[in-house]
Amino acid sequence: MGLIGQTISLFLTVLYVLLLARVLISWFRPRYKTSRNGWFFSLEELTWRATEPMLAPIRRILPQSGMIDFAPLILFFLLRVLQSLVLSIFR
C-alpha cells in the first residue's frame, strides 16, 4: 500500500479513536465540573471539536430518538466502510 493509502487509513483510525473517546467521555463525565483547566476537560473539548463537524450532519438526518444518540454509531460504521474502501483501492 502506498504512502497516500497509509496516510488516509491512519487519519481514519485517528478519527475512529477520537469518536470512541468522545463516547466514553460522555458516559463517564464527572457530574460536577469544578475546574475548566483540567486535562480531562481539555481532552473532552478536543474530542468534541474533532468529531462534532462529522456528527452534526448525521444528527440532522436522523429522527429524534429521545435520550439515545445514534449518530456516533452511524459514524463508526461509515468510518470503517471508508477505511475498507481505502485499503481495497490502494492494495
Side-chain angles (χ1 to χ4, degrees):
M1 182 164 55
L3 180 63
I4 295 173
Q6 289 177 345
T7 304
I8 294 171
S9 180
L10 178 64
F11 178 73
L12 293 172
T13 301
V14 168
L15 286 177
Y16 190 87
V17 169
L18 284 171
L19 183 61
L20 181 62
R22 178 179 172 153
V23 169
L24 292 175
I25 286 171
S26 72
W27 288 349
F28 300 111
R29 178 183 307 144
R31 190 170 284 251
Y32 301 104
K33 295 181 180 183
T34 57
S35 170
R36 293 291 303 170
N37 296 328
W39 65 269
F40 184 84
F41 301 109
S42 298
L43 181 64
E44 181 182 17
E45 186 175 346
L46 170 75
T47 59
W48 190 86
R49 287 180 184 227
T51 57
E52 187 60 27
M54 295 174 285
L55 289 171
I58 296 172
R59 283 193 192 108
R60 281 192 297 258
I61 295 171
L62 288 177
Q64 292 289 343
S65 59
M67 292 178 51
I68 299 174
D69 185 14
F70 290 107
L73 182 65
I74 292 173
L75 187 57
F76 277 130
F77 176 73
L78 291 174
L79 287 173
R80 285 301 172 195
V81 167
L82 189 59
Q83 191 168 28
S84 297
L85 287 172
V86 167
L87 290 175
S88 67
I89 289 172
F90 287 101
R91 283 205 175 188

